Amino acid sequence: MTTTTDTLSIGEVSDRTGLSVHALRYYEREGLLVGPVHRTSGGRRRYSTLDVDWLLICVKLRESGMPLADLKRFAELVRRGPGNEAERLQLLDTHRRRVDAQIAALEECRSVIAWKVGIYADHLARGEANGLWDPTA
């Protein structure tokens, strides 16, 4: 059994994960954690380092755009334990493909922006920037 000296308060977990206290409570309420959050005799939440590790994964999945429903399903599968690894892999692989598509789209956007930066830089360097894309001309 872990004691309060082995565990972290909700504030400490918030500091380590970047999730607000409100978000941590929401994650717990929505079943996004893989284990129960233990409580002190006074009812205060105490998190383990495994909880923090899981939450750090959740943060990255959410930051990369994984829908809450998919994250919830992933947590549910992990909680069930061995035997559903293929389904977990499918969820993660689908998300990876979605992220790859987002990266490709962003790279295309960056290419257009770099092209426009080059045009403006070239015109400014030659002193020919007056009227560049002037809607009043």
Side-chain angles (χ1 to χ4, degrees):
M1 169 117 188
T2 56
T3 65
T4 55
T5 58
D6 309 312
T7 60
L8 302 162
S9 70
I10 196 168
E12 292 168 320
V13 173
S14 175
D15 289 343
R16 289 187 184 195
T17 63
L19 293 168
S20 68
V21 168
H22 175 75
L24 288 167
R25 289 182 184 128
Y26 175 81
Y27 272 42
E28 181 182 358
R29 231 181 8 261
E30 291 298 312
L32 296 170
L33 301 174
V34 292
V37 175
H38 299 287
R39 298 193 182 246
T40 66
S41 57
R44 296 198 179 271
R45 288 171 175 83
R46 298 304 298 180
Y47 294 84
S48 71
T49 55
L50 289 175
D51 293 326
V52 173
D53 291 344
W54 172 256
L55 286 164
L56 290 170
I57 291 168
C58 291
V59 166
K60 291 304 178 193
L61 292 173
R62 287 294 296 143
E63 283 179 355
S64 63
M66 180 179 269
L68 278 173
D70 289 355
L71 183 55
K72 193 173 199 176
R73 179 70 179 140
F74 186 55
E76 179 185 314
L77 292 168
V78 171
R79 270 194 306 275
R80 285 188 193 166
N84 57 33
E85 292 80 4
E87 195 172 347
R88 293 184 215 177
L89 174 60
Q90 182 181 11
L91 253 173
L92 291 172
D93 191 49
T94 297
H95 183 61
R96 181 190 52 79
R97 285 193 309 259
R98 196 169 35 240
V99 168
D100 287 344
Q102 290 171 338
I103 290 169
L106 285 171
E107 285 174 344
E108 187 176 326
C109 292
R110 183 178 56 197
S111 176
V112 169
I113 294 166
W115 171 68
K116 289 305 294 175
V117 164
I119 289 172
Y120 276 83
D122 183 50
H123 280 275
L124 285 170
R126 290 184 312 198
E128 300 173 358
N130 284 348
L132 190 61
W133 272 38
D134 184 352
T136 62

